[in-house]
Amino acid sequence: MGVVETPHKGMEHQTINAYGNHFVKDGFGFDRLLQHEFAHEWFGNQVTNSNWDDMWLHEGFGTYMQPLYSQYLYGDMDYFDWLHQLRMMVRDQKPIVSGERRTEDDVYNPKTGPGQDIYNKGALLLHTLRQLIGDDAFFTSIRELVYGRPDPKPGNFQPRYATTKDYIDIVNRVTGKDYGWFFKVYLYDAALPKLIEERHGDTLAFRWQTEHNEPFPMPLDVQVGHTVQTLPMTDGHGEVHAAPGTLVIADPHSKVLREMPHVEAFQQWLGQQKQARAQADAKS
């Protein structure tokens, strides 16, 4: 692996990465951009997307490698710090995957495509998938995506091309289950799933709502008092017994990527601040 310093931030290339981040520190103990570009030796160079529409296979996986490496180095606190930073940058204006052939401009233009969501939302959906299917199946699926086989070693694999469908098929084969519903909502819908809560006396009911009312049987952990129980949500619904005033936390361990009103409110506030500064600059 080689690194050459350049005037721009960074760009992956086979065998040598362009880098211009000046080795800045951010408290995570490693150079995030250098690690991201190095991740592309796997996600982009060893396995390459067949169509720009599948670019999240480069950037979503490449971006998830930073929180994953933080977890490997220092544990969960840094890992979830990464994920929260990524979550605050998700836009949800266009689906990550359209199902059609696209150009680079189609994908990266935020007016026509997902833009930076292929990085941030792509990484977060991989976190959610990992929580859903478990580490063994998750990391097996990654090896098969990258190398085309579960037992890579020098000499038994070649660089390959892949599509989103290829990865969905791999996950289904590795787990022995059909997770098409998962990828349909996270990749082919623009909006994140919403968790609706409704109280009926001592019962607190939960249901998932998706952009196009697709099935979304995502299991949900709910903490009631000091006890965490898992609701199967097989039909998108579930409920717990919790008297009014009882401590209730949905998804206490942040397993599921979903709409978070406080995050959307913060993003709206940032937009207002940016607009106010632009107006002030125009007057001056």
Side-chain angles (χ1 to χ4, degrees):
M1 177 213 175
V3 178
V4 59
E5 289 195 70
T6 59
H8 58 270
K9 284 282 189 178
M11 177 60 68
E12 70 274 14
H13 301 284
Q14 289 179 333
T15 74
I16 189 165
N17 285 319
Y19 174 83
N21 202 37
H22 306 295
F23 306 99
V24 297
K25 298 185 182 301
D26 57 14
F28 286 102
F30 66 96
D31 191 318
R32 66 170 68 195
L33 187 62
L34 186 60
Q35 202 268 7
H36 178 86
E37 304 306 341
F38 187 41
H40 282 304
E41 298 304 321
W42 290 268
F43 307 102
N45 292 331
Q46 168 54 33
V47 59
T48 300
N49 57 314
S50 298
N51 174 10
W52 281 99
D53 195 39
D54 302 309
M55 191 62 181
W56 80 279
L57 295 176
H58 288 212
E59 300 299 358
F61 280 91
T63 299
Y64 186 57
M65 293 304 104
Q66 286 81 76
L68 192 64
Y69 189 45
S70 274
Q71 188 177 41
Y72 170 80
L73 289 176
Y74 303 115
D76 287 349
M77 183 171 71
D78 284 17
Y79 176 75
F80 282 104
D81 189 345
W82 266 102
L83 296 181
H84 187 57
Q85 290 186 40
L86 297 176
R87 178 64 184 86
M88 290 191 290
M89 293 187 287
V90 172
R91 293 174 57 253
D92 293 326
Q93 300 300 309
K94 299 287 184 179
I96 291 179
V97 180
S98 70
E100 302 175 356
R101 294 203 65 82
R102 283 179 165 181
T103 66
E104 180 181 5
D105 288 341
D106 292 334
V107 173
Y108 279 93
N109 185 336
K111 294 182 179 179
T112 60
Q116 295 297 303
D117 275 1
I118 63 174
Y119 297 76
N120 307 319
K121 187 176 179 180
L124 290 164
L125 77 85
L126 290 174
H127 161 74
T128 299
L129 179 64
R130 180 185 171 196
Q131 310 312 304
L132 180 62
I133 67 176
D135 278 10
D136 287 348
F138 179 71
F139 289 112
T140 297
S141 76
I142 292 180
R143 283 192 296 274
E144 292 209 17
L145 170 68
V146 172
Y147 299 106
R149 57 191 303 160
D151 58 343
K153 59 184 179 181
N156 75 352
F157 63 88
Q158 296 291 329
R160 40 190 266 109
Y161 290 88
T163 65
T164 296
K165 183 181 182 302
D166 290 334
Y167 185 59
I168 296 173
D169 290 344
I170 289 170
V171 170
N172 290 344
R173 184 174 67 253
V174 167
T175 61
K177 298 180 180 179
D178 184 356
Y179 284 103
W181 59 268
F182 176 93
F183 293 102
K184 174 65 179 70
V185 168
Y186 284 121
L187 290 178
Y188 294 90
D189 282 359
L192 290 172
K194 297 180 181 180
L195 182 63
I196 309 298
E197 301 182 21
E198 296 176 341
R199 175 168 289 282
H200 307 284
D202 288 348
T203 299
L204 193 59
F206 298 90
R207 62 180 174 89
W208 291 114
Q209 178 179 310
T210 59
E211 183 175 3
H212 299 106
N213 297 315
E214 307 98 332
F216 191 68
M218 175 67 73
L220 177 69
D221 288 352
V222 180
Q223 179 178 336
V224 180
H226 298 293
T227 303
V228 177
Q229 54 186 292
T230 300
L231 305 180
M233 306 289 282
T234 51
D235 62 351
H237 295 75
E239 59 183 38
V240 298
H241 178 81
T246 304
L247 172 67
V248 178
I249 305 174
D251 191 26
H253 300 118
S254 302
K255 293 181 178 181
V256 183
L257 174 60
R258 58 191 171 97
E259 182 183 275
M260 303 289 284
H262 70 283
V263 172
E264 279 74 38
F266 175 68
Q267 292 172 328
Q268 183 179 13
W269 178 82
L270 284 179
Q272 293 169 346
Q273 296 298 306
K274 181 179 180 180
Q275 184 178 16
R277 287 193 298 271
Q279 292 174 346
D281 291 343
K283 291 179 179 179
S284 64

